[in-house]
């Protein structure tokens, strides 16, 4: 759901013709996250056999969606703050100056960032830079009225993909979905 909202924001903006780049910060090992976000120069670390552009450069002019921003370590939070304040990135191993980027950043997390700031796990200045427009997306279990809409959406999508003519969902199946607890969502 979070990525769909971020994509909708991008697609309905003046940046829609530019890239929409997604990264799940929790899915990238911490020692590689900096290189993924900001790029690296050949020889800057073992395995860096060529220059690599970072995702911020790839998203230049468009939108970058950082999912699970609460998982980003403090050392990288500082660099994210610099991107937001200065519009510049520096690749790992970069000797010269910084590179300019024009990127809209959309971030999401399932963590309580206010608590993370209080506990010193998330930078307060970065939190306020990110929290310009805050959206709370209720979990599916909090909006059971959306379940039939979603069920029919996925029925159509997968019926077409599987080339099967299925256009109905039984009342019992819809009730089972509506009463499911949707743990983890």
């Amino acid at each position: 759901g979070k990525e769909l909202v971020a994509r909708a924001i991008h697609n309905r903006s003046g940046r829609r013709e530019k890239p929409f780049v997604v990264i799940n910060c929790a899915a990238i090992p911490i020692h590689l996250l900096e290189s993924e976000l900001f790029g690296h120069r050949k020889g800057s670390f073992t395995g860096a056999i060529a220059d690599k552009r970072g995702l911020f450069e790839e998203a230049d002019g468009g939108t970058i969606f950082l999912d699970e921003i609460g998982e980003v370590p403090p050392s990288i939070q500082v660099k994210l703050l610099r991107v937001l304040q200065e519009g510049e990135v520096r690749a790992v191993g970069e000797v010269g100056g910084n590179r300019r980027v024009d990127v809209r950043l959309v971030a999401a997390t399932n963590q309580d960032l206010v608590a993370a700031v209080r506990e010193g796990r998330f930078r307060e200045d970065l939190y306020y830079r990110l929290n310009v427009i805050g959206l709370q997306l209720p979990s599916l279990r909090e909006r059971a009225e959306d379940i039939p809409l979603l069920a029919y959406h996925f029925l159509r999508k997968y019926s077409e993909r599987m080339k099967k003519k299925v256009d109905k969902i039984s009342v019992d199946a819809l009730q089972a979905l509506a009463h499911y607890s949707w743990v983890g969502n």
Side-chain angles (χ1 to χ4, degrees):
K2 297 178 285 186
E3 184 176 333
L4 288 175
V5 171
R7 188 175 297 278
I9 290 168
H10 174 76
N11 287 341
R12 287 165 179 78
S13 76
R15 295 176 180 262
R16 69 183 156 276
E17 301 300 323
K18 298 293 185 175
F20 176 73
V21 176
V22 176
I23 184 167
N24 182 331
C25 298
I28 307 293
I30 290 172
H31 63 281
L32 294 178
L33 187 58
E34 182 178 7
S35 172
E36 282 296 312
L37 291 172
F38 308 114
H40 65 256
R41 297 296 160 248
K42 179 181 177 180
S44 59
F45 56 85
T46 303
I49 58 173
D51 286 355
K52 178 187 175 296
R53 284 174 31 136
L55 295 177
F56 273 95
E57 286 183 89
E58 297 212 0
D60 194 26
T63 304
I64 188 165
F65 174 53
L66 301 181
D67 197 5
E68 298 307 337
I69 188 81
E71 300 293 329
V72 173
S75 61
I76 296 177
Q77 290 176 30
V78 172
K79 294 180 182 216
L80 286 173
L81 187 60
R82 179 161 186 84
V83 173
L84 293 173
Q85 288 177 331
E86 308 298 329
E88 297 177 344
V89 295
R90 179 178 290 219
V92 176
E94 183 78 53
V95 177
N98 299 328
R99 297 173 192 264
R100 302 249 352 124
V101 291
D102 173 23
V103 175
R104 172 197 291 125
L105 190 137
V106 178
T109 185
N110 62 6
Q111 293 186 26
D112 180 349
L113 288 184
V114 173
V117 166
R118 233 184 349 260
E119 295 164 7
R121 294 182 292 111
F122 201 84
R123 292 182 60 99
E124 185 174 22
D125 48 1
L126 179 58
Y127 171 77
Y128 284 108
R129 285 283 181 170
L130 291 171
N131 197 29
V132 175
I133 299 174
L135 298 175
Q136 290 289 116
L137 297 182
S139 66
L140 188 54
R141 70 179 158 271
E142 297 174 53
R143 49 192 178 95
E145 67 276 4
D146 290 348
I147 291 172
L149 276 169
L150 291 166
Y152 277 102
H153 165 77
F154 289 114
L155 176 71
R156 280 189 300 280
K157 178 179 178 177
Y158 291 106
S159 293
E160 289 174 17
R161 184 179 292 175
M162 304 299 292
K163 297 181 178 19
K164 301 281 185 184
K165 175 102 171 102
V166 181
D167 56 7
K168 292 198 184 212
I169 302 173
S170 73
V171 173
D172 290 342
L174 284 174
Q175 285 179 346
L177 290 171
H179 290 97
Y180 184 70
S181 63
W182 300 102
V183 176
N185 181 329

